Amino acid sequence: GMPILSCLESIKTETHVFKIKYLCYLLLKEIQEGHSLSHAIKKIPYSSFSSIEISLIHLAEISGNLDQSLHFIQKRLKKLFTIQQKIISALIYPCITLAASFIIMFAIFYWVIPEFSALFSLHHRPLPWITSVILNCAQHIKKIYGIILLIIASIFLILKYGVEYNFFSIKIYEAFINKTPVIGKIVKTTNQIHFCFSMFILLKSGIPIHSAFKESIDHVTLPYSKQQLHAALNDIMHGKPVSQSLKNTRFLPYFAIQTINSAENTGQLDDAFHTLYEQLSDELNQCSDRAGKTIEPFIIILLGGMIGMIVIAIYLPIFQLGSLY
């Protein structure tokens, strides 16, 4: 029941985050000049509110249920944050392990193995093939790691700018992303979750289906799926059912299309998208858990195999030298 100005003043006083404190200051200034909350948020470019959230606040100000809309937005942001943290927690350990392994292997090849190379060269005996390979790698370690880094950087740049500058089609780009082990499934499911939750929030707020669909497309980051969804929007505006239009895009799984089709017949489309959001969120949680459990042993096996190969390559010549005495 507090006035909006009192709420913002209270938040500005209590928070220790400078960005939020400054945002509240700007909002207070705009509202005191006679602007609405939605207009004030829209006017501030770094407010971090999406177009969907601004639209919801604007509609709530017209209908007089601002508290309910803000509660919806709070739930949405909390859910999205939970999904983001789930993905980060599943992937951060493997990424740190890989990076640490990369550095450790470089140190071994750059400082440790050359010492053994000098030792073996004193005895002028033929070395096992695996030892020769390891010693050659150690001699050219800077070039090898430079090539590896160049390949990784090239892949990143191609993925980042390939579609923008028409190096390849968006269909090929998205197919590559989707086929990437573990990451592809997480990216696709995350896009589906954002789309379904946006549809639920907007339809629940009374926004027409075509407007809700158009706003929800903005939260899809996969370029080919986004293009297909725009084609589906065109079909919806020409009178086709939502389920049939989405089926042609292949953006959502089959069970989701069936759920939407049933909901269209009963007039509960918003509840259907909420159900899909919950199901896809559970699927993403399971996928994230599986990703962590699958990648971790693979990294351990890979690192253990590389260390084991180095140990064998170093000790074989030592055993040969020992047999001479």
Side-chain angles (χ1 to χ4, degrees), residues 148 152 155 160 206 208 217 234 255 302 318:
I148 292 173
I152 294 172
I155 293 172
K160 184 174 178 61
I217 292 174
N234 187 55
F255 78 87
L302 178 65
I318 294 175

Side-chain angles (χ1 to χ4, degrees), residues 31 50 52 60 102 121 136 183 209 227 242 270 293 321:
I31 294 172
S50 67
I52 286 180
F102 198 78
S121 64
N136 287 330
I183 302 297
I209 180 67
Q227 186 183 81
V242 177
D270 53 342
K293 292 176 182 177
L321 292 173

Side-chain angles (χ1 to χ4, degrees), residues 174 178 187-196 199 213 216-217 219-230 232 245-254 256-257 260 273 280:
E174 189 167 321
N178 290 336
V187 171
K188 180 79 180 238
T189 308
T190 303
N191 274 270
Q192 292 169 344
I193 289 170
H194 289 171
F195 178 80
C196 289
M199 286 293 292
F213 203 97
S216 300
I217 292 174
H219 292 266
V220 176
T221 57
L222 294 171
Y224 183 68
S225 293
K226 199 166 190 173
Q227 186 183 81
Q228 294 296 98
L229 288 170
H230 277 293
S245 302
L246 282 171
K247 185 178 180 181
N248 296 333
T249 66
R250 298 184 179 179
F251 174 67
L252 293 175
Y254 179 74
I257 302 300
I260 294 169
F273 277 107
L280 290 168

